[in-house]
Amino acid sequence: MPGSLPQQTVRRRPRHDPRETEREILEAAEELLREAPFREVTVEQVMLRTGLKRPAFYAHFRDRYDLMLRVVAHIGGELLTKAERWLEGDDPRHDIRAALEGIASVYLTQGPVLRALADAAPTDGRVESAYRALVQTFIDATAERIRVEQAGGRTDPRLDSDETARALVWLCERYLSEAFGRPPREDVEKVVSVLEQIWLATLYGGG
């Protein structure tokens, strides 16, 4: 037919872009973890939530444990981005507040997911390893920042940087999980202010 598009130029678009499929599966897993403990989340449930076929899952993930590792990595990336305000900032007292506000904002949406993973950790070695590795990332980064602050004369050089970091990070993890991991949720301003005062008092001698 005159004016019609030549046949060889007509292309079918794939039904699902691979990156979009992966994102949908991760989001479905996170949604399910807000509603049920890890032990009850299955591949079948995840794929039903997406409306995709089961083979699509195995094109991106080996099994549900691999999926959980990716969930942990995804949320960990969000948290680390927020924490960088203090980890890489140049106004420590102000940057601590900004970093804690950012981290709290992630917990507001992802708190139930992180709590589900933390609750699963004691009974599942692979989940525990992934979750503790996430926390350790923040401990290591915090310890390094404390050493920088000590070298700059802003923090007491007598502090054990590694153990202080471990105490502060695990305190944050537990407190934020309790505050935002399940309803009723605590007031964000109150939670951030409490953590801010703890970090300031520990590292800089007060508010």
Side-chain angles (χ1 to χ4, degrees):
M1 179 185 297
S4 64
L5 196 63
Q7 176 127 13
Q8 64 269 24
T9 65
V10 178
R11 297 177 181 270
R12 288 182 177 271
R13 293 183 62 188
R15 184 177 178 186
H16 292 285
D17 179 273
R19 289 171 296 182
E20 182 67 15
T21 298
E22 183 178 329
R23 183 189 64 79
E24 289 181 20
I25 295 171
L26 284 169
E27 288 182 353
E30 290 173 10
E31 288 175 6
L32 285 166
L33 285 170
R34 293 187 184 98
E35 302 166 8
F38 170 75
R39 66 180 179 275
E40 297 178 10
V41 176
T42 65
V43 173
E44 289 82 0
Q45 289 175 321
V46 171
M47 299 315 288
L48 280 173
R49 188 65 62 99
T50 66
L52 299 170
K53 301 296 185 182
R54 188 183 178 96
F57 177 90
Y58 292 104
H60 298 277
F61 308 97
R62 291 189 300 275
D63 51 29
R64 73 183 189 121
Y65 295 99
D66 186 35
L67 174 60
M68 292 306 112
L69 293 180
R70 298 282 284 279
V71 169
V72 170
H74 174 242
I75 299 176
E78 290 186 60
L79 290 168
L80 192 57
T81 296
K82 302 299 184 182
E84 284 174 353
R85 181 62 185 268
W86 176 66
L87 294 173
E88 299 181 3
D90 56 9
D91 185 355
R93 291 173 183 266
H94 179 267
D95 292 338
I96 277 181
R97 174 77 187 197
L100 289 171
E101 287 176 342
I103 290 170
S105 73
V106 175
Y107 264 86
L108 272 175
T109 58
Q110 302 286 22
V113 180
L114 288 163
R115 187 181 183 93
L117 293 169
D119 289 347
T123 58
D124 190 287
R126 283 172 286 187
V127 176
E128 180 179 28
S129 178
Y131 192 77
R132 292 187 71 87
L134 170 63
V135 176
Q136 190 62 46
T137 297
F138 286 89
I139 292 173
D140 293 342
T142 300
E144 179 59 30
R145 180 65 191 190
I146 291 173
R147 287 189 283 271
V148 169
E149 295 298 275
Q150 289 173 321
R154 293 180 292 272
T155 299
D156 189 341
R158 295 171 297 179
L159 286 177
D160 183 315
S161 58
D162 292 316
E163 288 303 300
T164 300
R166 187 156 72 103
L168 288 172
V169 171
W170 276 113
L171 180 150
C172 274
E173 185 274 342
R174 284 291 83 196
Y175 184 47
L176 289 167
S177 182
E178 287 295 316
F180 303 125
R182 61 189 172 195
R185 294 181 177 181
E186 298 290 341
D187 176 71
V188 178
E189 174 67 23
K190 179 179 72 174
V191 169
V192 170
S193 293
V194 167
L195 289 174
E196 178 188 21
Q197 290 304 311
I198 291 171
W199 280 68
L200 287 175
T202 301
L203 300 178
Y204 303 108

